[in-house]
Amino acid sequence: MIRNVMKVSAVTALLLLFVDVVALAQGKRVQISGNVRDADGNPVELVAVQVKNTMTGAITNEKGYYSLSVAEGDSVTLLFSCLGYNKAERIIPTVASDMRVNVQMNYMSLELGQVEVTAARRNTSTLETLDAQRMRILPDPSGGSIESLVITQAGVSSSNELSSQYSVRGGSYDENIVYVNGIEVFRPLLIRSGEQEGLSFINPNMTEEVRFSAGGFEARYGDKMSSVLDITYKKPAALEGSVTASFLGANAYVGSSAGKFSQVTGLRYKTNRSLLGTMDTKAEYNPVFIDFQTYMTYRFTSRWELNFLGNVSSNNYRFTPHERDTKFGTANKPQTFTVYFDGRERDKFETLFGAATLKHNVNEKTEIGLQLSAFNTREEESYDITSTYALNRVASDEIENPVEALSLAYFHEHARNRLSATVATAGLYGISQLAAVHTIKWGLNVQRELITDKISEWERRDSAGYSLPQTGTDVNVIANLFSDNKLESTRYSAYIQDVFKFRTAQGMFTLIGGIRGSYWDYNREAIFSPRLSIGFIPTANQDFTFRFATGFYYQPPFYKELRIETTDENGNSIILLNDRLKSQRSIHFIGGGDYAFLAAGRNFKFTTELYYKRLDNINPYTVDNVKIRYYGENCATGYIAGVDMKLFGEFVPGTDSWLSLSLMQSEQTIRGVTKAPMPNSQLYNLSLFFQDYYPNNKRIMLNLKGVLAGGIPVTVPRKGYEAGYHRTPPYRRVDIGVTYQLASGESALMDRGVFRNFKNVWLGIDLFNLFDIDNTGSYYWITDIYNQQHAVPNYLTGRQINLRVSVDF
């Protein structure tokens, strides 16, 4: 099918070239080109540019660029039109030579009192554009991350407010690929809990554009099975900056431009000590997370540009537990779990990242670039924690008085884990626009990886004077794990795709077809991924947009997936690397569309997508908090199917809110026998982002984020799905925030004293977990003397107030 599409594209390009040749033979032609941007300076895609009273025209590409040719002569009138924007018209008095005509198109709007309403943008691919500026006012317990905005989208879920990781349509956290300025970025590998995680790589203050796809994405994006998050950082045109402080930390950034040079630099500090203090475990929490980033651009000439992105991150987590008291169970069978601790945990995750891109614009239609990047992480996880605990069953009417001791035991956890990894990448890419309706994109990459891993951890439990497990007179630990591995390998990848846009009497079509291939020398595997998407806007009713996408999405194993546990001659669990592990495969079928409409004079957009993902060569895994433990084998097949719905619009005039609902069904068959749902499959997920403002005073804004998601399947540690599973309780959480714009450019206060140097001053108060709901993040598994296991829930954070202040300059 891809081959036929590419043949059609080639034939069409030749026909258009033939038409141009014939026209030249009839008279001299003049090239008119330019860029179309909106009122915010962003490029506008899918703008129809037409020469008035003729059939000559073009369509802008994703950079807002268009080009067409007209006969030399008298005046020409260009018409610019795009759904959601006011039409524009430009008159050229005399057409004598090639020229540029740049146009700004304003959003189509209507006035509702003092509120201006704007129309929603069209989307003909599975890639959706999100508004990064919403992070300024979003109540976010993670301290501010783009991922907090992503998880409110249809098909995306997260059941841990301390983590920036997310699942998309039932996939694992490792199935999501993240790009910043066209460079893939990585995260630490040893993270096992949200408390340790620290800051996400993406700096929201430096972000210009956010694009996200929940599946069916283009061939230019890498080999992952679930989603792509594509981030573009700012290139400031003038001095700008901001400083923000809250109970969760502080951040600052500054951007500037001077001649050919521009830069944006950000510094972030996070400590969620106050938030962790709402958990059941009373402890000395000392998390210190620091991140420094800079993005610099230098334009040598109008055709040559050099970009550099640098990042230094240090995440330190220190934890000294004292005691814990957890009440759980049902109303008829309440239980209590009491623990007294001794010892501490110290974790350190330090990462370095650098990337340089050299761009060359060969002409207005062609760009090529060279990309070099390197990532290094050094991770240490160290803990020695002993505890004495009691698990009691209590009377339903007197929870403080135990009636039966289910387990009294001593527990010792020990770990000395070290990991270092270096990933270096070199690549070439190119973008060329052909015959006004084709955009060819291609790329080549080589990636070198060096990873060393040393794991030494064990657990020992003693219940009522007996060590578990009991093996005659020997005293053993209940579990241990050791590894000493090193991996050196090289990956090669390439892609090519065509974006073909054309109009017929029925409407406008956007066809994106491409193929991606890669080879990994460690397991000696070559894979090829054809991908295709079609977008259609009917002429009869342009309020509708329809989409269909399909393709093969492989996920070559990274280091974590290769690890397979086995037992040595002494009964110790050791980790080996499986060099015969192959890529997992997911075949996507996605169909859906948008319907834009007006209700009560306000703009709304309703989006629906149906999807089916056929999974082969699955490497099954279990999830504990945010730690993923893989089987290390291609031993399962399965499927994921569902529907995502999203209503976006002005629930309150002049504000944007949305409501998302996802329904999902999944199944995997392990070793041809065991059937279980996919580990991150939630049967339902309802999320809401809502904005409101105080009547007649838009300086006071209310922002609410709510999530109701089904539980995820969990298993007994180190047992897998063969030993059975159960689902966690539903994840329910509401965060609410109120912001007050103390001063702005129009305020009289900005003319006084120090405020003269500021653009905006914001004050805010957040209330996290408004209803103080106990959500289960993971389980603490207790084994009694009869070798029966009890799952004690590890509850996530409770209700917490956060104050913040933000100053823009």
Side-chain angles (χ1 to χ4, degrees):
M1 184 175 183
I2 298 295
R3 183 180 300 173
N4 293 333
V5 170
M6 295 185 71
K7 286 181 179 179
V8 172
S9 300
V11 170
T12 304
L14 290 174
L15 287 175
L16 290 169
L17 182 62
F18 176 75
V19 170
D20 286 343
V21 171
V22 172
L24 284 171
Q26 296 175 345
K28 184 178 178 181
R29 308 290 290 183
V30 173
Q31 199 78 13
I32 302 177
S33 62
N35 292 89
V36 181
R37 298 184 177 274
D38 61 20
D40 299 323
N42 300 315
V44 182
E45 188 182 9
L46 305 178
V47 177
V49 185
Q50 184 179 6
V51 179
K52 190 174 182 178
N53 299 324
T54 73
M55 296 297 293
T56 303
I59 300 172
T60 59
N61 62 14
E62 62 185 11
K63 294 185 177 181
Y65 177 79
Y66 73 93
S67 177
L68 52 82
S69 63
V70 298
E72 183 183 35
D74 294 332
S75 68
V76 168
T77 301
L78 299 181
L79 302 178
F80 298 81
S81 63
C82 183
L83 190 66
Y85 295 86
N86 293 318
K87 292 182 178 180
E89 183 176 303
R90 294 293 183 272
I91 299 175
I92 304 173
T94 304
V95 180
S97 60
D98 293 349
M99 65 183 65
R100 290 187 62 86
V101 178
N102 297 326
V103 174
Q104 175 181 304
M105 298 190 69
N106 297 316
Y107 296 115
M108 187 179 297
S109 62
L110 53 95
E111 294 295 328
L112 296 177
Q114 297 181 345
V115 178
E116 184 179 89
V117 181
T118 60
R121 296 181 180 180
R122 308 309 300 266
N123 186 25
T124 57
S125 72
T126 62
L127 204 62
E128 181 180 5
T129 300
L130 310 180
D131 186 358
Q133 296 304 312
R134 299 192 190 282
M135 287 309 308
R136 302 293 304 275
I137 54 178
L138 188 70
D140 181 14
S142 70
S145 67
I146 293 295
E147 291 84 351
S148 295
L149 181 64
V150 172
I151 64 175
T152 64
Q153 306 303 307
V156 187
S157 63
S158 173
S159 297
N160 191 329
E161 65 273 6
L162 294 172
S163 172
S164 62
Q165 301 190 60
Y166 52 89
S167 171
V168 178
R169 292 175 175 169
S172 80
Y173 309 135
D174 296 330
E175 294 175 16
N176 307 314
I177 193 167
V178 179
Y179 288 90
V180 175
N181 295 333
I183 306 291
E184 182 181 0
V185 297
F186 302 87
R187 64 170 66 243
L189 300 174
L190 283 182
I191 297 290
R192 59 184 172 83
S193 70
E195 295 93 314
Q196 299 172 310
E197 191 170 305
L199 289 158
S200 162
F201 181 94
I202 306 166
N203 189 324
N205 291 324
M206 299 170 61
T207 300
E208 177 72 28
E209 185 178 40
V210 180
R211 292 184 291 179
F212 175 76
S213 173
F217 43 89
E218 304 165 19
R220 63 187 169 120
Y221 294 116
D223 295 306
K224 296 286 186 180
M225 294 198 302
S226 286
S227 77
V228 59
L229 179 60
D230 189 0
I231 304 296
T232 302
Y233 275 178
K234 298 176 180 179
K235 293 181 180 178
L239 179 66
E240 63 177 62
S242 74
V243 178
T244 302
S246 74
F247 288 168
L248 300 179
N251 61 75
Y253 92 97
V254 62
S256 63
S257 178
K260 298 180 178 182
F261 177 77
S262 68
Q263 65 82 33
V264 57
T265 300
L267 178 65
R268 292 180 292 167
Y269 163 74
K270 174 184 173 182
T271 175
N272 51 5
R273 181 184 307 173
S274 61
L275 198 60
L276 296 177
T278 65
M279 303 176 73
D280 281 350
T281 300
K282 306 307 176 186
E284 297 176 24
Y285 294 98
N286 187 21
V288 178
F289 309 124
I290 298 175
D291 176 273
F292 173 83
Q293 289 191 42
T294 185
Y295 177 55
M296 296 180 286
T297 301
Y298 186 80
R299 293 185 65 87
F300 298 97
T301 66
S302 60
R303 295 184 179 272
W304 288 93
E305 179 180 291
L306 177 65
N307 300 325
F308 173 76
L309 173 63
N311 171 249
V312 178
S313 176
S314 176
N315 296 333
N316 290 274
Y317 176 72
R318 297 186 179 184
F319 170 58
T320 304
H322 298 307
E323 61 181 18
R324 167 179 173 173
D325 187 19
T326 301
K327 298 176 176 64
F328 67 103
T330 64
N332 295 327
K333 294 182 180 180
Q335 299 180 50
T336 63
F337 179 60
T338 304
V339 190
Y340 297 96
F341 297 96
D342 188 22
R344 64 183 179 182
E345 175 178 352
R346 289 186 176 183
D347 305 323
K348 181 166 64 174
F349 306 92
E350 296 180 341
T351 62
L352 299 173
F353 178 82
T357 302
L358 180 63
K359 297 180 182 180
H360 176 51
N361 293 314
V362 180
N363 51 50
E364 291 287 350
K365 298 182 180 181
T366 301
E367 175 186 312
I368 59 174
L370 170 66
Q371 295 178 323
L372 303 173
S373 67
F375 167 79
N376 177 264
T377 179
R378 297 184 180 275
E379 307 174 23
E380 299 179 6
E381 186 181 44
S382 175
Y383 56 83
D384 261 301
I385 298 177
T386 60
S387 60
T388 302
Y389 64 80
L391 178 65
N392 299 310
R393 181 177 295 136
V394 300
S396 58
D397 57 342
E398 296 184 10
I399 198 167
E400 302 297 336
N401 300 317
V403 297
E404 181 183 359
L406 299 177
S407 181
L408 301 172
Y410 170 83
F411 184 37
H412 189 182
E413 293 178 292
H414 168 90
R416 294 293 186 273
N417 301 330
R418 304 289 186 271
L419 183 144
S420 65
T422 300
V423 180
T425 306
L428 288 171
Y429 74 90
I431 303 173
S432 298
Q433 186 176 5
L434 305 178
V437 293
H438 292 275
T439 302
I440 304 297
K441 300 180 181 181
W442 58 269
L444 304 169
N445 278 283
V446 179
Q447 181 171 294
R448 182 68 177 169
E449 301 164 5
L450 173 60
I451 303 173
T452 59
D453 180 23
K454 293 187 177 182
I455 302 294
S456 175
E457 60 183 50
W458 48 262
E459 300 177 12
R460 180 175 180 269
R461 298 184 188 177
D462 181 77
S463 180
Y466 297 91
S467 290
L468 297 175
Q470 300 177 39
T471 55
T473 57
D474 295 331
V475 177
N476 298 327
V477 295
I478 192 172
N480 61 11
L481 188 64
F482 301 97
S483 78
D484 188 358
N485 293 305
K486 184 176 181 179
L487 173 65
E488 292 186 64
S489 63
T490 304
R491 302 176 194 260
Y492 307 89
S493 63
Y495 71 86
I496 185 170
Q497 70 176 48
D498 181 20
V499 181
F500 178 32
K501 299 179 181 181
F502 61 95
R503 287 183 180 270
T504 67
Q506 289 72 37
M508 191 181 75
F509 291 84
T510 301
L511 177 65
I512 305 176
I515 188 168
R516 184 178 189 88
S518 65
Y519 175 78
W520 193 23
D521 65 2
Y522 183 74
N523 62 0
R524 297 172 295 281
E525 179 189 33
I527 56 177
F528 296 93
S529 304
R531 304 174 187 178
L532 174 69
S533 70
I534 302 173
F536 173 60
I537 302 176
T539 301
N541 190 341
Q542 296 191 16
D543 292 333
F544 287 94
T545 303
F546 300 98
R547 295 183 296 274
F548 175 78
T550 185
F552 287 71
Y553 294 83
Y554 288 90
Q555 178 143 337
F558 201 62
Y559 182 74
K560 286 197 299 185
E561 291 96 317
L562 293 172
R563 302 196 304 183
I564 183 171
E565 293 185 25
T566 186
T567 304
D568 64 13
E569 63 277 6
N570 297 318
N572 296 312
S573 296
I574 59 174
I575 294 177
L576 301 178
L577 301 183
N578 182 4
D579 61 359
R580 293 182 294 178
L581 185 71
K582 302 302 181 182
S583 299
Q584 303 179 79
R585 186 179 70 173
S586 177
I587 306 176
H588 291 195
F589 299 93
I590 301 170
D594 304 329
Y595 172 53
F597 62 96
L598 283 175
R602 309 173 199 168
N603 286 289
F604 290 88
K605 183 173 74 170
F606 181 69
T607 300
T608 302
E609 286 192 348
L610 298 168
Y611 63 90
Y612 176 81
K613 299 195 289 188
R614 179 65 185 176
L615 308 175
D616 301 296
N617 281 342
I618 296 176
N619 182 2
Y621 63 92
T622 59
V623 179
D624 182 14
N625 201 303
V626 297
K627 182 177 182 178
I628 295 178
R629 189 183 296 270
Y630 289 93
Y631 279 45
E633 306 173 61
N634 299 115
C635 59
T637 59
Y639 75 90
I640 303 174
V643 57
D644 295 332
M645 294 171 283
K646 178 182 176 182
L647 177 62
F648 175 93
E650 296 175 273
F651 295 8
V652 174
T655 67
D656 288 332
S657 304
W658 59 86
L659 177 68
S660 301
L661 173 64
S662 299
L663 304 175
M664 183 195 310
Q665 181 68 43
S666 71
E667 184 179 84
Q668 60 179 333
T669 303
I670 303 173
R671 298 191 175 98
V673 177
T674 303
K675 293 184 180 295
M678 299 300 293
N680 276 308
S681 64
Q682 295 170 302
L683 299 178
Y684 59 90
N685 189 340
L686 179 67
S687 62
L688 169 69
F689 175 73
F690 176 76
Q691 284 186 309
D692 197 359
Y693 56 88
Y694 192 80
N696 301 320
N697 189 351
K698 294 188 67 175
R699 291 180 180 274
I700 304 176
M701 295 286 297
L702 178 143
N703 304 278
L704 182 145
K705 183 177 71 171
V707 177
L708 172 61
I712 61 174
V714 295
T715 65
V716 176
R718 296 172 292 275
K719 293 291 185 179
Y721 292 98
E722 293 82 352
Y725 69 91
H726 77 277
R727 286 188 178 270
T728 62
Y731 182 81
R732 302 158 295 166
R733 185 179 179 92
V734 174
D735 299 321
I736 189 170
V738 176
T739 57
Y740 173 62
Q741 191 175 22
L742 178 65
S744 66
E746 301 175 356
S747 172
L749 183 62
M750 303 301 283
D751 295 329
R752 303 176 186 174
V754 69
F755 289 99
R756 294 175 180 174
N757 301 314
F758 302 147
K759 294 179 181 178
N760 294 287
V761 179
W762 293 88
L763 302 178
I765 181 170
D766 301 320
L767 186 57
F768 301 136
N769 198 354
L770 175 64
F771 300 111
D772 201 23
I773 297 173
D774 290 330
N775 289 305
T776 301
S778 60
Y779 288 95
Y780 197 94
W781 293 87
I782 301 299
T783 306
D784 62 23
I785 192 172
Y786 305 106
N787 212 29
Q788 294 180 337
Q789 291 191 313
H790 304 266
V792 180
N794 293 318
Y795 293 129
L796 295 169
T797 59
R799 184 188 292 126
Q800 178 70 16
I801 293 178
N802 179 52
L803 298 178
R804 51 191 166 91
V805 58
S806 180
V807 177
D808 298 334
F809 59 87

